[in-house]
Amino acid sequence: MKTVVVFRIDRRSGVATYLQIVRQVEQALRMGALKEGDRLPTAAQVAAETKVNPNTTLKAYRELERAGLAEVRQGAGTFITRSLAPAQDGPDSPLRTSLARWLDEARSQGLSGQEVTALFRSAYAAVYPSETDG
């Protein structure tokens, strides 16, 4: 089974590594990138990709399990048990449609993906200042 999430750890953020993993899983659940039944990467896979101690990943997965978002299946891995995506977040949702139009407009004005990402991060930081890691 293919894993559908890759963790990005910011060691300068001041946020505990295990919490960064938990928050990234929660965000992927909200965005619909992770769905019920999806398998999370093993602690060894996360360690290989991020240089995080496997015990840190296991701690994050235990936290997700306590929150009712994941379950450990002995010998099979850790699996998502429920979504956090809002019901209106489907492919035809108004927000997704609006965002797609905005991205099309940005591309038509010659912005690169990197420039769009920088613009989004700037706008995001202005709207959600307490949630930015920067």
Side-chain angles (χ1 to χ4, degrees):
M1 182 179 273
K2 179 181 94 118
T3 54
V4 293
V5 66
V6 176
F7 297 110
R8 304 277 183 243
I9 304 303
D10 181 356
R11 296 180 195 318
R12 296 172 291 132
S13 73
V15 176
T17 302
Y18 87 96
L19 280 178
Q20 290 184 51
I21 293 170
V22 169
R23 288 177 181 171
Q24 288 176 44
V25 168
E26 290 171 341
Q27 184 64 18
L29 287 167
R30 278 188 214 93
M31 301 301 295
L34 279 174
K35 296 178 178 36
E36 187 175 335
D38 284 344
R39 180 179 165 271
L40 292 173
T42 66
Q45 288 170 320
V46 176
E49 292 171 7
T50 64
K51 309 298 185 242
V52 167
N53 186 308
N55 289 328
T56 301
T57 302
L58 293 173
K59 181 176 181 179
Y61 287 3
R62 282 191 303 274
E63 185 66 28
L64 290 165
E65 197 170 21
R66 271 192 290 276
L69 299 174
E71 73 175 350
V72 176
R73 298 179 192 160
Q74 201 60 35
T78 303
F79 293 84
I80 296 299
T81 55
R82 70 181 177 97
S83 173
L84 292 176
Q88 73 275 12
D89 195 33
D92 297 327
S93 77
L95 283 175
R96 186 177 296 266
T97 301
S98 177
L99 180 58
R101 275 197 303 268
W102 182 84
L103 289 168
D104 286 341
E105 178 66 20
R107 181 184 301 186
S108 73
Q109 291 189 23
L111 271 69
S112 69
Q114 193 172 25
E115 290 167 326
V116 167
T117 300
L119 181 58
F120 173 81
R121 286 185 177 159
S122 173
Y124 180 88
V127 175
Y128 296 101
S130 65
E131 294 183 23
T132 55
D133 291 332

